[in-house]
Amino acid sequence: MAHINVTNVTVLDNPSRFFNPFQFEVSFECLTPMSEDIEWKLIYVGSAESDEHDQELDSILVGPMQASAYKIVFQADPPDPRQIPPQDLLGVTVILLSCFFRDKEFIRIGYYISNEYESIELNETPPDQPIYERLVRNILADRPRVTRYQIDWS
């Protein structure tokens, strides 16, 4: 039986400028007292072609915890756009919010992100050199993909 049950995730500051921090309000229950930390990670998928462009934006440790309900706001800096292939900067990508216990992932919550320019003209005819300050992102917050994994909690 899982010791942690995620009850809700709210995407804050969405849509947003590309360079604004990501913010997720995560509500979860700890179902049994835990003396060890859980680790939350936020991964930005830079390219569908290869994970070499994925960026771990931040990670935080939470714990120890008593059996209770918890709420955290996980804030992370945006990705470094220079590490994203130019052809993958605009369009759809993914952000992954994952939680681990003893380095074992037990839940992954994925969201699609749409990155585009703030103006129709720039979207129809993108510049050769990206204008990062004019990019906006929209996380499709109402359609998360949640995957749970069975792990050994003992």
Side-chain angles (χ1 to χ4, degrees):
M1 178 176 98
H3 289 196
I4 301 292
N5 179 39
V6 176
T7 57
N8 191 50
V9 177
T10 303
V11 179
L12 305 175
D13 190 27
N14 186 50
S16 182
R17 294 261 177 217
F18 185 84
F19 282 127
N20 284 3
F22 285 93
Q23 296 180 63
F24 295 88
E25 182 182 83
V26 183
S27 300
F28 62 95
E29 301 169 321
C30 181
L31 303 175
T32 183
M34 295 180 62
S35 60
E36 297 178 56
D37 294 339
I38 58 174
E39 181 179 23
W40 291 93
K41 291 183 181 182
L42 194 61
I43 307 290
Y44 184 90
V45 176
S47 173
E49 303 300 318
S50 167
D51 62 2
E52 73 180 82
H53 301 287
D54 292 359
Q55 297 178 49
E56 182 176 316
L57 303 181
D58 205 351
S59 67
I60 58 170
L61 298 174
V62 178
M65 295 177 286
Q66 296 301 313
S68 186
Y70 292 86
K71 185 182 291 189
I72 62 170
V73 174
F74 188 179
Q75 181 171 309
D77 288 336
D80 178 353
R82 296 167 298 176
Q83 295 183 32
I84 301 170
Q87 68 274 15
D88 293 324
L89 186 61
L90 297 176
V92 177
T93 189
V94 173
I95 188 96
L96 302 172
L97 176 65
S98 297
C99 197
F100 297 77
F101 178 69
R102 295 184 182 151
D103 297 320
K104 302 286 188 214
E105 184 178 27
F106 63 88
I107 190 166
R108 177 183 298 170
I109 305 163
Y111 294 94
Y112 289 108
I113 300 175
S114 175
N115 291 318
E116 60 186 13
Y117 283 107
E118 62 190 357
S119 76
I120 294 171
E121 296 80 19
L122 285 173
N123 283 315
E124 289 176 352
T125 311
D128 292 335
Q129 293 298 316
I131 307 171
Y132 300 120
E133 300 76 29
R134 305 277 311 266
L135 290 173
V136 292
R137 68 166 184 254
N138 184 13
I139 301 172
L140 303 180
D142 61 339
R143 295 188 181 182
R145 303 280 188 221
V146 180
T147 306
R148 291 177 173 79
Y149 303 97
Q150 294 294 323
I151 65 166
D152 181 6
W153 293 89
S154 58

